[in-house]
Amino acid sequence: MALPLSYSWRSLLARGSRTAFTVAVIALVVIATTLFWSLIGSLKRTLVSSGSPHNLIVMRKGATNDGSSQLSLDAYQTIRFFEGIAKDPAGNPLVSPEIVVQPFFHTTSGTRENVLVRGIEAPALLVHDEVTIGEGRMIHPSSGEAVVGRIVAQRYKGASLGSDLRFGNANWKVVGILDANGSSFESEVWVDARELASNAKRPFPYSGFRVRVADGADMDALARRIGDDPRWALEATREIDYYKQLSSTANTLYIIVAGLAVLAGIGAMFGATNSMYAAVQARTSEIGTLRALGFSRGAILGAFLAESVMTAAFAFVIGAAISWLLAIAISAAMGGIGFASQTFTTNVVVLRVAPQDLLMPLGLAILIGVFGGLAPAAAAARLRPVEALRKA
Amino acid sequence: MKYLPLVWRNLGRNPLRSVLTAAAIALAIALVCILRTMPAGLDAILASAAANTRISTHNEAGIVYSMPYSYLAKVRAVPGVVAAISWNWFGGALDLTKGVEFPNFAVDPDGFAEVYADWGLEPKVLEDFRKYRDAALVARQTLEKHRWKVGDVITLQSTVFPVTLSFRIVGANPNQGGALYFQREYLEQALAGAGVQFDTTGMIWSRVDDPERVAPVMRQIDEMFRNSEAITSTETEKSFIGNFFGGLKQLVTIIQIVAALVTLCIVFIAANTASMSIRERVGEIAILKAIGFRRQTIFSTLLAEAGLLALVAGIIGAVAAFGMLKALQLYATGAGPQLGPLTAFAVSNAILVQAIFIAFFIGILSGWVPALGASRRSVAQTLREVF
């Protein structure tokens, strides 16, 4: 017969202060790993959600991002009439030619950052259908106007709706705010492509094209056709894969967070083992009594293991709740967290603890509970009833 | 000191607990060392940049907004400028699928030695850098990471220009960002071959003769280009680097928060052990007092016990951190230069030594309350409870 769970639970409460110490240690480890893990998660979500499953990005062969690619007008004029590209109601192909420049912006706290400014033409909003104008309106061509991402509007000087924004040797009138479900487009500024090209004195008109593939058309076939065209050395990639590759900035962070989880996890496990051993020691006579009453070794093992896992689970709940609040506090205090992207622009990520970010810390806490409790629980189960009772 | 054997024996009375506690503290200390090393890489670069008189001129609009190459001659002519070189981002990748793994720049070999005089490059290396058109000076850390040596030939495919260039490594440079420098003329000729005219520069780096003159020289350079096709902005190297990595500030804050959390973790681990081991010994401590040991003696031996355990753990943790940082330096690839100095993982002795002190103080601190409680308890009452 197994011991009821309430036995383990009441035992935990009986040695309140020591339980509190163990809970605090595990909870701190949970908070530390959750913060880092959510940061990586938030970065990945921001970048990956920027790609649309219907879109291809076309760049010069060998370019790793649209900030370092250059394409000719001829290439654009030919490719837009390829088979398999979606069309707007008027019958124009949904190909968005874009030029990317990285001018300096000044944050409201006084630092200088490179911001991704995207020069666009009419089809941009139709191709990037996840981007919408949240406030104000879209720019008119050749009017010196700009629309800015929601994050840009908050983070940089002079970037709010209706202001004059200075960048790239000119002043631009902010006429609208871009919303893009928290994706990296909210860290961008969009202006007229021709105005931007002349302002930045770019030798080639475009950096890349975004192509919306028609429903039912073969995406890979279209990508191959663009890539195989001998006239221009171009490469077409699925937008989703492109943004996935951009998010590889997080790889080093992964190594760090994995190391953090392993090291801190083992440390916390030692702490948990320590208090469980003390618990077993303090209750030697009690264990003897239980054994004398007829509870099996397995039941004792289970009860002590349950005690350890309960501690860890409780610590996880507290740690997760604190991390969640801490993330909100950090976001409120700092706005967003800037990451240098491969385009050498600042990609602002809003730290948020999503439910899936808690899975890794939960697993870690359970492991700490199980492995931290295993040795002491086994020691308790090994106690021989007669000796245990005699000791008391 | 004569009580040291007693302290030592007390630690050995429950060896499993002492080892577990020491291991937990050591791991946490190692973690704190690694976390604190990340932002320290940035500070080290800023500190090394503060002392020199190197200044950077770039387009006011941003580094990607280039300037005419003819600006270089004009900057060189400014009184107070000892030497100046142009600077272009080549964006070369060893393997395009991995992207740009270390920064690489085209520069003028003329004036390079003077602009980077503080690097102390050997005359032979500088001579080779001028002599061979395909010469490259590679940062020491990049050489180590890729196991290259002087004389090796490497090939980089540009992600900015339509060319692929092979370089002969002629020497090492101490750049902390891992940069490779090569001759501008080599790029110019390759681009001419590809039908591209190359007459711009991304930045101009100059050295000023006197620290006092840095500010006026910077003003004069910007004044000179005030009404020309590319308005410039000139700043000191420290200000430039500080701005370049300004976007990493929030990330650094998060790293610091996590480091603080882990430190707090050590406090709880150490305090738990101290209170456990002291609680077990209440009776024994009462007897010690009954036979005449003074309260202060008991208090300080208990404190010494907690401090010694944490100190040993701290030393083990710092040594472990040293090893792990060395491993990270070699294997933490895949980020490219974007996280910059945060992932350089250069070992700082100051951080390791500080961590050992932190461990010691935490040990003392965590032993304080239980030790004080134990030494203050009334003898008669304790003995009555225990027996």
XYZ file of all heavy atoms in Angstrom, chain A residues 18 21 25 28 31 39 60 62 64 68 101-104 111-113 155 168-169 199-201 248 252 256 260 263-264 266-267 270 273-275 277-278 281 330 336-338 340-342 344, chain B residues 16-17 20-21 23-24 27 31 38 58 60-65 89 96 159-160 229 235 243 247 249-251 253-255 257 261 264-265 268-269 271-273 276 279-280 334-335 338-339 343:
722
model
N 13.227 24.872 6.216
C 14.159 24.206 5.316
C 13.537 24.026 3.927
O 14.195 24.178 2.913
C 14.584 22.864 5.897
C 15.911 22.429 5.353
C 16.456 21.254 6.114
N 16.511 21.505 7.535
C 16.330 20.541 8.433
N 16.033 19.313 8.062
N 16.435 20.813 9.707
N 13.931 27.197 2.032
C 15.262 27.380 1.446
C 15.366 26.653 0.107
O 15.806 27.212 -0.895
C 16.339 26.828 2.380
C 16.814 27.808 3.408
C 16.832 27.491 4.750
C 17.278 29.054 3.007
C 17.278 28.402 5.691
C 17.734 29.964 3.941
C 17.724 29.634 5.293
N 15.908 28.200 -3.720
C 17.017 27.874 -4.625
C 16.479 27.434 -5.987
O 16.883 27.946 -7.028
C 17.910 26.769 -4.012
C 18.879 26.254 -5.057
C 18.657 27.304 -2.813
N 14.830 30.279 -7.918
C 15.787 31.212 -8.524
C 16.364 30.641 -9.808
O 16.539 31.355 -10.801
C 16.921 31.522 -7.533
C 16.559 32.540 -6.455
C 17.620 32.563 -5.378
C 16.423 33.919 -7.074
N 13.769 31.014 -12.411
C 13.656 32.391 -12.910
C 14.797 32.703 -13.879
O 14.581 33.238 -14.967
C 13.683 33.418 -11.750
C 12.496 33.179 -10.810
C 13.627 34.832 -12.282
C 12.570 33.977 -9.527
N 13.818 35.082 -23.582
C 14.474 36.086 -24.419
C 14.764 35.488 -25.791
O 14.474 36.089 -26.828
C 15.775 36.523 -23.738
C 16.494 37.697 -24.361
C 15.620 38.929 -24.288
C 17.804 37.956 -23.645
N 20.548 38.827 -54.627
C 21.712 38.436 -55.412
C 22.284 37.161 -54.810
O 22.300 36.996 -53.591
C 22.760 39.547 -55.350
C 23.997 39.288 -56.167
C 24.825 40.553 -56.288
N 25.282 41.066 -54.991
C 26.313 40.568 -54.315
N 26.982 39.541 -54.786
N 26.668 41.093 -53.152
N 24.483 34.682 -53.094
C 25.578 34.884 -52.150
C 25.263 35.913 -51.090
O 25.938 35.961 -50.078
N 23.600 37.317 -47.899
C 23.001 36.605 -46.774
C 21.801 37.351 -46.217
O 21.024 36.795 -45.462
C 24.031 36.406 -45.652
O 24.706 37.638 -45.452
C 25.019 35.327 -46.009
N 22.594 43.569 -47.742
C 23.856 43.553 -48.471
C 23.680 43.057 -49.903
O 24.619 42.648 -50.546
C 24.872 42.675 -47.736
O 24.469 41.332 -47.763
N 18.371 50.284 -46.505
C 19.485 51.127 -46.084
C 19.463 51.165 -44.552
O 18.411 50.978 -43.946
C 19.363 52.545 -46.697
C 20.552 53.390 -46.305
C 19.271 52.467 -48.211
N 20.652 51.350 -43.955
C 20.728 51.300 -42.483
C 21.259 52.610 -41.905
O 22.396 52.674 -41.467
C 21.670 50.160 -42.053
C 21.284 48.794 -42.572
C 22.022 48.389 -43.840
O 22.276 49.215 -44.703
N 22.364 47.129 -43.968
N 20.470 53.671 -41.908
C 20.983 54.935 -41.356
C 20.960 54.960 -39.828
O 20.370 54.098 -39.194
C 20.015 55.968 -41.926
C 18.761 55.237 -42.189
C 19.106 53.786 -42.402
N 21.622 55.975 -39.292
C 21.629 56.183 -37.840
C 20.296 56.764 -37.379
O 19.747 57.659 -38.017
C 22.702 57.203 -37.454
C 24.104 56.691 -37.528
C 25.149 57.569 -37.784
C 24.391 55.356 -37.322
C 26.458 57.119 -37.841
C 25.698 54.903 -37.367
C 26.734 55.801 -37.635
N 21.263 57.116 -27.195
C 22.227 56.304 -27.932
C 21.885 56.303 -29.417
O 20.794 56.698 -29.815
C 22.270 54.851 -27.428
O 20.953 54.351 -27.404
C 22.891 54.760 -26.058
N 22.860 55.838 -30.213
C 22.700 55.858 -31.654
C 22.577 54.423 -32.133
O 23.342 53.561 -31.711
C 23.941 56.508 -32.240
C 23.855 56.818 -33.701
C 25.090 57.576 -34.098
N 26.241 56.688 -34.118
C 27.503 57.110 -34.161
N 27.767 58.382 -34.152
N 28.490 56.243 -34.182
N 21.615 54.149 -32.972
C 21.445 52.783 -33.481
C 21.180 52.818 -34.976
O 20.636 53.782 -35.501
C 20.263 52.099 -32.776
C 20.525 51.808 -31.316
C 19.342 51.207 -30.581
O 18.267 51.034 -31.188
O 19.494 50.910 -29.397
N 10.710 54.156 -29.681
C 12.102 54.052 -29.268
C 12.970 55.235 -29.691
O 13.943 55.562 -29.018
C 12.681 52.762 -29.855
C 14.029 52.356 -29.294
C 14.408 51.008 -29.875
N 15.723 50.569 -29.545
C 16.026 49.779 -28.509
N 15.082 49.376 -27.703
N 17.259 49.405 -28.303
N 19.342 59.924 -42.715
C 19.854 59.873 -44.078
C 19.869 61.224 -44.764
O 19.424 61.339 -45.905
N 20.368 62.267 -44.087
C 20.517 63.597 -44.684
C 19.209 64.235 -45.124
O 19.202 65.089 -46.008
C 21.449 63.561 -45.912
C 22.789 62.972 -45.580
O 23.312 63.202 -44.500
N 23.338 62.196 -46.502
N 18.589 59.384 -52.022
C 19.131 59.935 -50.786
C 20.398 59.208 -50.357
O 21.369 59.812 -49.903
C 18.072 59.841 -49.694
C 18.528 60.481 -48.406
O 19.276 59.884 -47.653
N 18.111 61.709 -48.171
N 20.403 57.866 -50.526
C 21.551 57.076 -50.075
C 22.587 56.935 -51.179
O 23.609 56.297 -50.986
C 21.085 55.697 -49.614
N 22.345 57.510 -52.358
C 23.247 57.416 -53.519
C 23.611 55.972 -53.799
O 24.791 55.613 -53.905
C 24.517 58.228 -53.281
C 24.240 59.691 -53.032
C 25.494 60.517 -53.198
C 25.227 61.976 -52.948
N 24.801 62.258 -51.552
N 19.528 32.963 -36.438
C 20.642 32.160 -35.926
C 21.575 32.982 -35.045
O 22.468 32.442 -34.411
C 21.427 31.538 -37.086
O 22.050 32.545 -37.831
N 24.482 31.467 -30.177
C 25.410 31.587 -29.061
C 24.634 31.714 -27.760
O 25.015 31.148 -26.739
C 26.330 32.798 -29.257
O 27.021 32.618 -30.477
C 27.336 32.910 -28.137
N 24.760 29.480 -24.209
C 24.863 30.059 -22.871
C 23.702 29.604 -22.003
O 23.886 29.206 -20.854
C 24.899 31.596 -22.964
C 26.168 32.007 -23.698
C 24.842 32.223 -21.577
C 26.135 33.408 -24.197
N 23.811 27.478 -18.690
C 23.213 28.043 -17.478
C 22.258 27.035 -16.848
O 22.298 26.779 -15.645
C 22.445 29.309 -17.860
C 21.706 30.015 -16.739
C 22.597 31.080 -16.139
C 20.433 30.650 -17.213
N 24.308 23.921 -15.420
C 25.102 24.250 -14.227
C 24.208 24.603 -13.039
O 24.325 24.036 -11.952
C 26.042 25.418 -14.511
C 27.194 25.165 -15.476
C 28.053 26.404 -15.601
C 28.031 24.008 -14.991
N 23.288 25.544 -13.275
C 22.426 25.979 -12.182
C 21.528 24.826 -11.739
O 21.250 24.670 -10.550
C 21.585 27.181 -12.622
N 22.203 21.562 -11.807
C 22.963 20.621 -10.975
C 23.193 21.225 -9.592
O 23.027 20.563 -8.567
C 24.310 20.261 -11.648
C 24.044 19.511 -12.953
C 25.168 19.416 -10.725
C 25.288 19.240 -13.763
N 23.519 22.517 -9.575
C 23.730 23.199 -8.299
C 22.494 23.105 -7.415
O 22.571 22.736 -6.243
N 21.914 19.641 -6.007
C 22.726 19.356 -4.819
C 22.066 19.950 -3.585
O 22.020 19.333 -2.525
C 24.146 19.911 -4.981
C 24.974 19.148 -5.972
C 26.095 19.721 -6.539
C 24.612 17.856 -6.339
C 26.871 19.021 -7.461
C 25.373 17.149 -7.251
C 26.498 17.735 -7.814
N 19.109 17.798 -2.678
C 19.562 16.532 -2.099
C 19.931 16.728 -0.633
O 19.549 15.956 0.238
C 20.798 16.027 -2.860
O 20.500 16.022 -4.240
C 21.177 14.632 -2.430
N 20.659 17.821 -0.412
C 21.079 18.167 0.941
C 19.908 18.227 1.910
O 19.912 17.599 2.959
C 21.745 19.545 0.896
C 23.137 19.491 1.428
O 23.523 18.516 2.060
N 23.903 20.520 1.160
N 18.874 19.001 1.530
C 17.763 19.143 2.489
C 16.975 17.848 2.614
O 16.455 17.559 3.684
C 16.801 20.276 2.115
O 17.224 20.976 1.042
N 18.210 14.814 2.481
C 18.980 13.946 3.384
C 18.699 14.318 4.828
O 18.480 13.469 5.688
C 20.482 14.070 3.117
C 21.016 13.019 2.182
C 21.693 13.361 1.025
C 20.843 11.657 2.472
C 22.172 12.399 0.164
C 21.318 10.694 1.613
C 21.988 11.067 0.453
O 22.444 10.120 -0.381
N 18.684 15.641 5.061
C 18.417 16.104 6.425
C 17.025 15.671 6.861
O 16.811 15.259 8.009
C 18.551 17.617 6.479
N 17.089 12.035 7.767
C 17.778 11.850 9.034
C 16.882 12.210 10.215
O 16.778 11.481 11.189
C 19.000 12.760 9.061
C 20.262 12.024 9.400
C 21.439 12.911 9.074
O 21.365 14.123 9.195
N 22.530 12.295 8.655
N 10.505 44.349 -16.711
C 11.657 44.687 -17.553
C 11.189 45.393 -18.818
O 11.739 46.410 -19.229
C 12.468 43.418 -17.903
C 13.228 42.929 -16.661
C 13.448 43.690 -19.042
C 13.910 41.591 -16.850
N 12.022 47.780 -25.118
C 12.313 46.518 -25.789
C 13.787 46.241 -25.646
O 14.551 47.093 -25.211
N 14.182 45.037 -26.023
C 15.588 44.679 -25.950
C 16.155 44.676 -27.365
O 15.656 43.963 -28.235
C 15.760 43.315 -25.282
C 15.328 43.456 -23.822
C 17.202 42.836 -25.341
C 14.668 42.261 -23.286
N 17.179 45.471 -27.577
C 17.743 45.576 -28.916
C 18.695 44.434 -29.207
O 19.528 44.098 -28.382
N 21.359 43.098 -32.275
C 21.965 43.444 -33.550
C 21.617 42.327 -34.515
O 21.833 41.165 -34.226
C 23.465 43.557 -33.387
N 21.027 42.686 -35.629
C 20.647 41.672 -36.603
C 21.760 41.554 -37.641
O 22.692 42.349 -37.659
C 19.325 42.080 -37.230
O 19.313 41.797 -38.581
N 21.678 40.534 -38.503
C 22.710 40.363 -39.529
C 22.721 41.506 -40.526
O 23.687 41.718 -41.230
C 22.506 39.044 -40.270
C 22.820 37.857 -39.381
C 22.855 36.562 -40.151
O 22.835 36.545 -41.366
N 22.913 35.460 -39.444
N 22.877 44.377 -39.665
C 23.512 45.440 -38.896
C 22.525 46.518 -38.523
O 22.859 47.685 -38.424
C 24.739 46.014 -39.617
C 25.870 45.050 -39.540
C 26.175 44.243 -40.613
C 26.575 44.903 -38.363
C 27.183 43.303 -40.512
C 27.584 43.958 -38.262
C 27.885 43.167 -39.343
N 29.273 14.148 2.896
C 28.381 14.225 1.751
C 27.764 15.619 1.650
O 27.750 16.233 0.588
C 27.282 13.169 1.883
C 26.307 13.130 0.717
C 27.007 12.664 -0.542
C 25.129 12.228 1.035
N 27.303 16.114 2.829
C 26.672 17.430 2.802
C 27.675 18.509 2.413
O 27.389 19.391 1.617
C 26.081 17.760 4.166
C 25.480 19.149 4.181
C 24.541 19.349 5.311
N 25.226 19.224 6.579
C 24.639 18.749 7.678
N 23.399 18.346 7.638
N 25.310 18.680 8.788
N 28.308 18.263 -1.332
C 27.164 18.723 -2.126
C 27.057 20.243 -2.085
O 26.854 20.899 -3.115
C 25.869 18.107 -1.594
C 25.630 16.635 -1.912
C 24.362 16.143 -1.219
C 25.518 16.419 -3.404
N 27.215 20.809 -0.892
C 27.118 22.266 -0.769
C 28.223 22.943 -1.562
O 27.975 23.885 -2.323
C 27.230 22.684 0.707
O 26.287 21.919 1.456
C 26.953 24.147 0.882
N 29.879 21.804 -4.062
C 29.670 21.633 -5.503
C 28.611 22.604 -6.006
O 28.770 23.236 -7.066
C 29.263 20.201 -5.809
N 27.527 22.762 -5.239
C 26.460 23.675 -5.659
C 26.969 25.107 -5.726
O 26.716 25.829 -6.691
C 25.283 23.572 -4.691
N 29.447 25.535 -8.721
C 28.778 25.652 -10.016
C 28.178 27.037 -10.197
O 28.295 27.656 -11.257
C 27.674 24.598 -10.129
C 28.162 23.189 -10.444
C 27.047 22.181 -10.289
C 28.706 23.139 -11.863
N 29.143 29.969 -12.931
C 28.124 30.608 -13.760
C 28.191 32.126 -13.662
O 28.121 32.841 -14.665
C 26.763 30.117 -13.264
C 25.656 30.016 -14.264
C 26.104 29.182 -15.441
C 24.444 29.395 -13.611
N 30.762 38.246 -19.993
C 30.174 38.711 -21.254
C 30.194 40.232 -21.397
O 30.797 40.747 -22.321
C 28.764 38.141 -21.410
C 28.768 36.625 -21.545
S 27.123 35.954 -21.717
C 26.697 36.540 -23.355
N 32.929 59.457 -40.498
C 31.986 58.730 -41.345
C 30.861 59.650 -41.745
O 30.727 60.749 -41.203
C 31.456 57.487 -40.623
C 31.037 57.753 -39.215
N 29.847 58.334 -38.896
C 31.680 57.552 -38.032
C 29.755 58.468 -37.587
N 30.852 58.011 -37.037
N 27.487 61.436 -41.812
C 26.606 61.762 -40.699
C 25.374 60.863 -40.675
O 24.814 60.557 -39.623
C 26.187 63.233 -40.827
C 25.454 63.772 -39.639
C 24.631 65.011 -40.001
O 24.304 65.192 -41.188
O 24.327 65.784 -39.085
N 24.950 60.417 -41.871
C 23.702 59.649 -41.966
C 23.862 58.205 -41.500
O 22.888 57.550 -41.170
C 23.195 59.674 -43.405
N 25.101 57.700 -41.485
C 25.306 56.313 -41.081
C 26.505 55.738 -41.780
O 27.001 56.312 -42.757
N 26.960 54.592 -41.309
C 28.180 54.025 -41.878
C 27.935 53.479 -43.278
O 28.817 53.479 -44.121
C 28.730 52.909 -40.962
C 29.066 53.511 -39.607
C 30.007 52.305 -41.538
C 29.320 52.484 -38.567
N 26.723 53.016 -43.556
C 26.453 52.478 -44.891
C 26.338 53.599 -45.928
O 26.383 53.342 -47.121
C 25.166 51.630 -44.934
C 25.346 50.358 -44.154
C 23.985 52.418 -44.454
N 26.162 54.828 -45.449
C 26.188 55.964 -46.378
C 27.665 56.291 -46.572
O 28.326 56.756 -45.645
C 25.472 57.163 -45.776
C 23.978 57.033 -45.733
C 23.361 56.150 -44.868
C 23.179 57.809 -46.573
C 21.981 56.030 -44.836
C 21.803 57.693 -46.545
C 21.208 56.809 -45.669
O 19.850 56.691 -45.643
N 33.966 48.007 -45.397
C 33.428 46.709 -44.968
C 33.376 45.808 -46.198
O 32.751 46.144 -47.205
C 32.040 46.928 -44.386
C 31.263 45.697 -44.071
C 30.260 45.152 -44.838
C 31.384 44.854 -42.927
N 29.760 44.032 -44.230
C 30.433 43.824 -43.058
C 32.208 44.862 -41.799
C 30.276 42.819 -42.110
C 32.052 43.862 -40.857
C 31.098 42.855 -41.019
N 29.347 30.740 -47.391
C 28.168 31.603 -47.416
C 27.054 31.096 -46.526
O 26.281 31.878 -45.979
C 27.659 31.752 -48.844
C 28.460 32.734 -49.709
C 27.873 32.811 -51.097
C 28.488 34.113 -49.072
N 29.978 39.429 -49.360
C 28.520 39.491 -49.400
C 28.065 40.892 -49.799
O 26.875 41.171 -49.832
C 27.921 39.144 -48.025
O 28.520 39.991 -47.053
C 28.180 37.689 -47.656
N 29.031 41.778 -50.071
C 28.706 43.152 -50.436
C 29.082 43.417 -51.891
O 28.320 44.002 -52.651
C 29.469 44.151 -49.528
C 29.076 45.572 -49.863
C 29.221 43.852 -48.069
N 29.055 67.084 -50.681
C 28.028 66.094 -51.026
C 27.750 65.099 -49.904
O 26.672 64.536 -49.844
C 28.427 65.350 -52.305
C 29.802 64.708 -52.201
C 30.171 63.967 -53.475
O 29.336 63.176 -53.941
O 31.282 64.184 -53.992
N 34.193 61.298 -34.653
C 34.140 61.048 -33.213
C 35.345 60.221 -32.779
O 36.037 59.640 -33.606
C 32.833 60.352 -32.828
C 32.612 59.037 -33.550
C 31.218 58.456 -33.320
O 30.701 58.613 -32.206
O 30.668 57.854 -34.246
N 28.893 53.672 -29.303
C 27.669 53.817 -30.086
C 27.353 52.558 -30.881
O 26.215 52.140 -30.992
C 27.812 54.982 -31.067
C 27.417 56.290 -30.424
O 26.418 56.361 -29.725
N 28.202 57.315 -30.644
N 23.286 49.240 -28.901
C 22.068 48.436 -28.957
C 22.111 47.215 -28.065
O 21.090 46.579 -27.837
N 22.908 47.248 -24.953
C 22.765 47.651 -23.550
C 21.709 46.866 -22.796
O 21.922 46.418 -21.675
C 22.425 49.134 -23.477
C 23.640 49.988 -23.222
C 23.236 51.414 -22.919
C 24.437 52.314 -23.113
N 24.117 53.529 -23.843
N 20.552 46.709 -23.416
C 19.459 46.034 -22.708
C 19.780 44.566 -22.489
O 19.449 43.998 -21.462
C 18.155 46.172 -23.490
C 17.627 47.592 -23.513
C 17.791 48.213 -24.872
O 18.462 47.679 -25.750
N 17.174 49.362 -25.063
N 20.449 43.968 -23.483
C 20.836 42.565 -23.347
C 21.801 42.410 -22.167
O 21.688 41.480 -21.363
C 21.489 42.085 -24.651
C 21.839 40.617 -24.735
C 20.605 39.760 -24.531
C 22.459 40.291 -26.083
N 21.894 44.308 -19.584
C 21.109 44.438 -18.347
C 20.489 43.097 -17.962
O 20.515 42.702 -16.801
C 19.991 45.481 -18.531
O 20.571 46.640 -19.078
C 19.326 45.815 -17.220
N 19.927 42.394 -18.940
C 19.306 41.095 -18.656
C 20.363 40.127 -18.121
O 20.120 39.408 -17.145
C 18.685 40.497 -19.940
C 17.657 41.452 -20.506
C 18.111 39.106 -19.659
C 16.250 41.121 -20.226
N 21.537 40.111 -18.754
C 22.603 39.219 -18.294
C 22.959 39.546 -16.853
O 23.151 38.663 -16.024
C 23.834 39.343 -19.216
C 23.500 38.796 -20.602
C 25.039 38.606 -18.631
C 24.571 39.035 -21.633
N 21.001 40.907 -14.603
C 19.909 40.470 -13.721
C 20.052 38.977 -13.428
O 19.957 38.534 -12.280
C 18.530 40.764 -14.361
C 18.274 42.268 -14.404
C 17.407 40.068 -13.580
C 17.001 42.653 -15.135
N 20.625 36.944 -9.901
C 19.740 35.871 -9.425
C 20.556 34.650 -9.007
O 20.290 34.033 -7.969
C 18.762 35.457 -10.526
C 17.634 36.438 -10.850
C 16.873 35.985 -12.091
C 16.690 36.548 -9.677
N 22.240 35.219 -5.744
C 21.266 35.074 -4.664
C 21.043 33.597 -4.350
O 20.865 33.203 -3.197
C 19.960 35.732 -5.095
C 18.944 36.044 -3.994
C 19.542 36.991 -2.972
C 17.692 36.659 -4.596
N 21.073 32.792 -5.404
C 20.914 31.350 -5.277
C 21.988 30.793 -4.338
O 21.710 29.953 -3.490
C 21.083 30.758 -6.664
S 20.136 29.316 -6.960
N 21.205 31.256 -0.688
C 20.251 30.305 -0.117
C 20.881 28.930 0.107
O 20.639 28.286 1.125
C 19.018 30.196 -1.008
C 18.089 31.353 -0.843
C 17.974 32.315 -1.831
C 17.353 31.496 0.317
C 17.129 33.396 -1.668
C 16.501 32.571 0.491
C 16.389 33.529 -0.503
N 21.688 28.482 -0.863
C 22.323 27.171 -0.721
C 23.218 27.164 0.518
O 23.153 26.269 1.364
C 23.155 26.818 -1.975
C 22.247 26.663 -3.193
C 23.955 25.536 -1.752
C 22.991 26.545 -4.512
N 23.237 29.282 3.109
C 22.511 29.526 4.348
C 21.799 28.257 4.808
O 21.767 27.946 6.003
C 21.499 30.653 4.139
N 21.253 27.515 3.866
C 20.556 26.271 4.195
C 21.504 25.302 4.899
O 21.195 24.759 5.958
C 20.012 25.656 2.906
C 19.048 24.521 3.183
O 18.558 24.392 4.296
N 18.797 23.711 2.187
N 22.691 25.134 4.308
C 23.655 24.208 4.883
C 24.109 24.660 6.266
O 24.164 23.865 7.203
C 24.874 24.094 3.955
O 24.407 23.618 2.712
C 25.902 23.152 4.517
N 21.434 24.020 8.783
C 21.250 22.593 9.038
C 22.330 22.066 9.964
O 22.058 21.385 10.949
C 21.332 21.825 7.721
C 19.999 21.571 7.096
S 20.142 20.309 5.842
C 20.902 21.150 4.518
N 22.045 23.481 13.532
C 20.900 22.985 14.287
C 21.189 21.593 14.863
O 20.812 21.280 15.982
C 19.673 22.928 13.394
C 18.398 22.810 14.195
C 17.185 22.931 13.319
N 17.410 23.911 12.256
C 16.572 24.089 11.236
N 15.485 23.357 11.154
N 16.820 24.979 10.299
N 21.891 20.793 14.049
C 22.204 19.440 14.496
C 23.090 19.434 15.739
O 23.131 18.457 16.475
C 22.990 18.721 13.404
C 22.147 18.032 12.377
C 23.025 17.562 11.242
O 24.250 17.396 11.452
O 22.477 17.386 10.163
N 28.956 30.704 -34.615
C 27.604 30.713 -35.160
C 26.880 32.013 -34.905
O 25.831 32.244 -35.462
N 27.437 32.884 -34.080
C 26.759 34.150 -33.831
C 27.227 35.192 -34.818
O 26.519 36.127 -35.119
C 27.035 34.630 -32.426
N 27.639 39.845 -34.734
C 26.526 40.674 -34.271
C 26.512 40.873 -32.758
O 26.231 41.950 -32.267
C 25.177 40.077 -34.683
C 24.914 40.173 -36.160
C 25.534 39.014 -36.893
O 25.626 37.919 -36.366
N 25.968 39.252 -38.105
N 26.800 39.811 -32.016
C 26.804 39.973 -30.563
C 28.149 40.531 -30.107
O 28.349 40.812 -28.938
C 26.496 38.655 -29.859
C 25.054 38.197 -29.964
C 24.875 36.827 -29.361
C 24.117 39.178 -29.281
N 30.348 37.915 -26.861
C 30.661 36.495 -26.958
C 32.142 36.264 -27.225
O 32.537 35.256 -27.770
C 29.819 35.820 -28.058
O 29.947 36.598 -29.246
C 28.378 35.749 -27.655
